[in-house]
Amino acid sequence: MIGIIAQGEWKDGIFHFPIRVYYEDTDVGGMVYHGRYVSFFERVRTESIRDSAADVNHLFDLPEEEGGPLTYVVSSINIKYLRQAKVGDVLLGHSMVKQVRAAAIEVKQWITRDGAMVAQADLVIAVIGLDGKPKRWPNSARICWQKWMDDARDAGKNT
């Protein structure tokens, strides 16, 4: 049997990705443990860049002469919890680029259930070299981030 991989989609500069809440995501009462939201946000971001020039695998495989290898670090995250999710819920994660910096991006993410806001986060994600120091985005990745940010702005979503 061939498994189906959950896929998200970009629309108007916002990436949308379904998330099912499993028992392992919850506390003894069946409610999502607050720390799991960080994992959910990470899944959404990872899927949003999959197979693009901004993909972590692409950046890590960049040769030195192109500025690589590079990787990501979350340098700041601020989460606001608005509703509780529970085991069995199907959530929808969203991610959009708010600002592109020389060596980082600002991202807004949120999770909804049936259209109601469950949690939201503002993040700063930096790109670093193997030495742990900030590096500039390679042009190919910068183009991806800029396009997604511009798409959101053009759709009136980047507020």
Side-chain angles (χ1 to χ4, degrees):
M1 181 173 157
I2 298 175
I4 297 174
I5 298 172
Q7 293 185 4
E9 70 172 333
W10 280 99
K11 183 177 179 193
D12 296 332
I14 299 172
F15 186 75
H16 307 270
F17 186 76
I19 304 163
R20 180 171 299 275
V21 177
Y22 296 107
Y23 184 73
E24 68 186 19
D25 300 319
T26 65
D27 61 19
V28 71
M31 299 298 175
V32 173
Y33 174 67
H34 75 276
R36 293 301 280 177
Y37 289 95
V38 174
S39 297
F40 294 163
F41 288 132
E42 183 66 30
R43 279 186 224 164
V44 175
R45 280 194 320 280
T46 298
E47 293 301 326
S48 76
I49 62 175
R50 185 170 303 283
D51 298 327
S52 75
D55 190 317
V56 68
N57 294 322
H58 174 77
L59 295 177
F60 196 74
D61 290 341
L62 281 176
E64 285 185 37
E65 56 271 12
E66 293 180 36
L70 301 170
T71 193
Y72 291 107
V73 292
V74 173
S75 63
S76 172
I77 184 168
N78 182 13
I79 301 174
K80 184 172 185 177
Y81 303 96
L82 301 158
R83 287 182 175 74
Q84 187 64 53
K86 61 186 183 317
V87 68
D89 282 352
V90 176
L91 308 174
L92 191 58
H94 312 268
S95 186
M96 70 185 227
V97 180
K98 298 286 290 177
Q99 183 174 353
V100 181
R101 300 182 189 173
I105 55 169
E106 293 180 24
V107 177
K108 180 167 191 69
Q109 293 190 265
W110 62 101
I111 295 172
T112 59
R113 180 186 54 236
D114 299 326
M117 187 74 70
V118 174
Q120 57 191 28
D122 293 302
L123 300 94
V124 176
I125 301 163
V127 62
I128 61 170
L130 293 180
D131 60 1
K133 295 181 180 174
K135 303 291 183 186
R136 290 188 168 274
W137 292 111
N139 195 44
S140 57
R142 175 178 277 287
I143 289 169
C144 287
W145 295 125
Q146 193 68 47
K147 179 195 180 312
W148 295 323
M149 185 181 79
D150 292 345
D151 287 351
R153 183 199 61 228
D154 294 345
K157 306 288 185 183
N158 204 349
T159 57

